[in-house]
Amino acid sequence: KTGPPPCALTCSGVSKYNETNHSTYKDSNMEDWRLIDYSACGFTSKPVVTATLRGPLVLANCKSLRVFTVTAQQFSVIFTMEDNITNPSSRSRCEVHWIATGYNC
């Protein structure tokens, strides 16, 4: 769903590795996922979301991720894991940097 150009909106943020109020880690077999709430951005339809991981050091061992579900209020990312390690993003201090582009009218 698109709106006229004045309604275009870009919203961005960083979900810290140790956040508990806006994101949640849950274990599911060989994957770890996080739910990120951006309802304060005010999107009226599902935006396009781009996300990446960044750690504090070059060798932070941040796993790859993929955007899994997207709604107008939140999105989830899934971290891939080679072995079944609980909460690898917390251990490596990896943070999710995200950008969402959509419409607010």
Side-chain angles (χ1 to χ4, degrees):
K1 189 175 185 182
T2 60
C7 295
L9 172 69
T10 298
C11 195
S12 64
V14 177
S15 183
K16 301 286 187 180
Y17 72 95
N18 58 354
E19 279 185 10
T20 57
N21 57 343
H22 295 294
S23 58
T24 306
Y25 283 99
K26 300 213 177 186
D27 294 328
S28 173
N29 297 326
M30 298 297 286
E31 296 178 328
D32 192 31
W33 61 279
R34 181 184 286 197
L35 185 64
I36 298 172
D37 183 339
Y38 52 55
S39 56
C41 296
F43 292 113
T44 56
S45 59
K46 181 170 63 170
V48 174
V49 176
T50 303
T52 189
L53 284 174
R54 180 172 187 238
L57 305 169
V58 174
L59 300 174
N61 197 21
C62 296
K63 305 298 182 191
S64 61
L65 66 76
R66 66 183 169 104
V67 175
F68 186 62
T69 58
V70 178
T71 71
Q73 295 80 31
Q74 62 190 15
F75 73 98
S76 63
V77 291
I78 293 179
F79 305 95
T80 58
M81 299 166 56
E82 283 90 33
D83 48 11
N84 196 4
I85 302 170
T86 303
N87 206 350
S89 299
S90 178
R91 190 179 75 188
S92 300
R93 299 183 356 199
C94 298
E95 300 169 339
V96 178
H97 291 246
W98 59 268
I99 298 172
T101 305
Y103 297 95
N104 61 357
C105 61

